Amino acid sequence: MAEQARVVGSLPVANVQELAEACNAGVDDDQQVPERYLSKDPSTEEVVAGDDSACVIPVIDLHKLQDPQTSEEECAKLASACLNWGLFQLINHGVPDEVTRNLMSDVVEFLKQPLQAKKECSQQADSLEGYGPAFVVSEDQKLEWADMLYLQVHPSESRELRFWPTRPASFRRSVDVYSLEGRELAYRLLEFMAKGVGADPASLRGVFQGQTQGMRVNYYPPCRQQANRVLGLRPHTDVGGLTLLLQMNHDVQGLQVKKDGKWFAVQAVDGALVVNVGDVLEDC
C-alpha cells in the first residue's frame, strides 16, 4: 500500500507459459530453458523446515489483537514478529470466506484460459499493469519462471480497466470486494503495529491512508527440465508498505523467509494470510 508513480512497463519477453509449453514438450536443445531463467548454481544456503519447533514462523491472531483482555500481549507479539522476522501469518483475519473463495475461483478460471485469451490483458509499453512476465527492466536481467497479472486497485479512480479481465464475468467484482476487505484489514494491522511499539495507533494508518494499493497474481507454470535451476520469485524484499499474501495451493509449498542467514520454509496455516512488512514501512 505504498504510493508510487506509474512507470514505463516491462521490456517485451516471451510469456513463461509459452516457454514452459515448449520446454515440457520435448528435449531438443532448442527447447531447453533459456539461460536468462537459470540460476548460476543451485542454492547452497541452508533451508530450515517450517515444522521445526525451534523456528516456527510467527502466527498472529486478529481476534486477540482486538480483544481488550489479550490485545496488549498480542500487540507485543506482533511487534516482535515485525522487528525480528518482517513476516507473520495472520489468523482470524476477518476477511469473509466467501470473499476469498470467490476471488480464488475467478483467478483460477482466468489462469486456466488459453494464453491467447489472457493476452487481451497484456502489459503495454506505458505501464507495469496487465498480464505478462514480471517486471523486466533490463536486457541482461535474470528472469523469473512466472507470469503475473498486476492491477492497481485503489484509489478506484486510478484503475486502468483495459488491464482488468472480463472473463470470468465476475472477476472484476471479486477483485473489487476482496481489495476493499484487504485495505481495511491493512489499516487495522497498521494501528496495532503502532500500538505494539508504543506509538499512537493512528500514526501509521495516517501515513498510508489513501495511498495506492495494487494486486498481483503470480502464475508458476510447471518446469520439467532443470527445475532446480529456475525460481518462480527470486530473493527480494517488497517495496511497499504491507503485502497480504493469499496462497491458493497449499499442497505446493515454496515460500521462504530469510532470517539470521538461513532460509525458513513458510508452511501455510489453513485459512491464514501471510503478511510481509515492506521497505516503505520499515523506513517509517
Side-chain angles (χ1 to χ4, degrees):
M1 296 180 62
E3 184 174 20
Q4 54 186 345
R6 294 184 188 275
V7 297
V8 175
S10 292
L11 298 175
V13 296
N15 286 88
V16 173
Q17 182 178 345
E18 288 180 309
L19 296 174
E21 290 170 355
C23 293
N24 294 338
V27 296
D28 296 337
D29 288 343
D30 61 353
Q31 294 176 319
Q32 296 297 302
V33 175
E35 183 65 29
R36 290 186 71 184
Y37 294 86
L38 298 178
S39 300
K40 291 183 179 179
D41 297 297
S43 175
T44 57
E45 295 182 272
E46 181 176 355
V47 177
V48 182
D51 56 0
D52 187 326
S53 60
C55 49
V56 173
I57 304 300
V59 176
I60 303 298
D61 188 333
L62 185 61
H63 281 180
K64 291 182 179 180
L65 288 172
Q66 296 173 322
D67 186 339
Q69 300 296 320
T70 57
S71 183
E72 184 175 350
E73 180 180 353
E74 198 71 5
C75 278
K77 184 179 175 183
L78 171 64
S80 175
C82 293
L83 291 169
N84 296 312
W85 286 89
L87 177 143
F88 57 90
Q89 299 202 60
L90 184 69
I91 60 173
N92 296 320
H93 48 70
V95 179
D97 290 344
E98 181 182 10
V99 172
T100 57
R101 282 198 306 268
N102 289 344
L103 178 71
M104 292 169 73
S105 175
D106 284 348
V107 165
V108 169
E109 288 303 309
F110 170 74
L111 294 176
K112 282 169 57 178
Q113 295 180 102
L115 180 58
Q116 198 58 39
K118 287 183 280 189
K119 283 186 174 181
E120 293 178 4
C121 307
S122 286
Q123 298 164 346
Q124 303 296 320
D126 61 346
S127 177
L128 287 173
E129 295 180 67
Y131 184 76
F135 305 140
V136 184
V137 296
S138 71
E139 296 292 349
D140 57 357
Q141 175 183 342
K142 280 290 185 179
L143 302 181
E144 298 170 335
W145 195 256
D147 286 336
M148 71 167 186
L149 174 66
Y150 177 71
L151 304 172
Q152 187 163 297
V153 294
H154 289 290
S156 56
E157 60 268 20
S158 70
R159 295 176 178 178
E160 288 276 6
L161 293 181
R162 58 181 170 152
F163 299 116
W164 287 55
T166 57
R167 292 177 289 181
S170 55
F171 187 95
R172 293 184 176 186
R173 172 64 178 168
S174 295
V175 170
D176 186 47
V177 174
Y178 180 80
S179 66
L180 285 169
E181 292 281 352
R183 181 175 64 174
E184 292 308 309
L185 174 58
Y187 289 156
R188 289 196 294 273
L189 284 174
L190 289 168
E191 291 176 348
F192 288 120
M193 287 175 180
K195 181 180 176 182
V197 295
D200 177 2
S203 58
L204 274 182
R205 177 172 181 147
V207 171
F208 291 95
Q209 189 100 33
Q211 304 291 356
T212 59
Q213 176 186 351
M215 187 188 85
R216 173 173 172 173
V217 173
N218 294 319
Y219 172 55
Y220 308 108
C223 180
R224 297 189 178 93
Q225 296 187 34
Q226 299 173 289
N228 66 326
R229 297 280 308 279
V230 299
L231 291 173
L233 288 177
R234 294 183 178 276
H236 66 282
T237 60
D238 288 353
V239 297
L242 283 180
T243 298
L244 307 181
L245 174 62
L246 177 63
Q247 298 192 79
M248 299 183 64
N249 188 347
H250 288 189
D251 295 330
V252 180
Q253 300 291 339
L255 180 63
Q256 299 171 357
V257 58
K258 194 171 189 179
K259 183 178 186 294
D260 300 329
K262 301 177 182 178
W263 288 97
F264 293 84
V266 181
Q267 303 291 338
V269 175
D270 189 36
L273 290 169
V274 176
V275 182
N276 188 63
V277 177
D279 298 338
V280 172
L281 184 54
E282 285 192 3
D283 291 339
C284 287

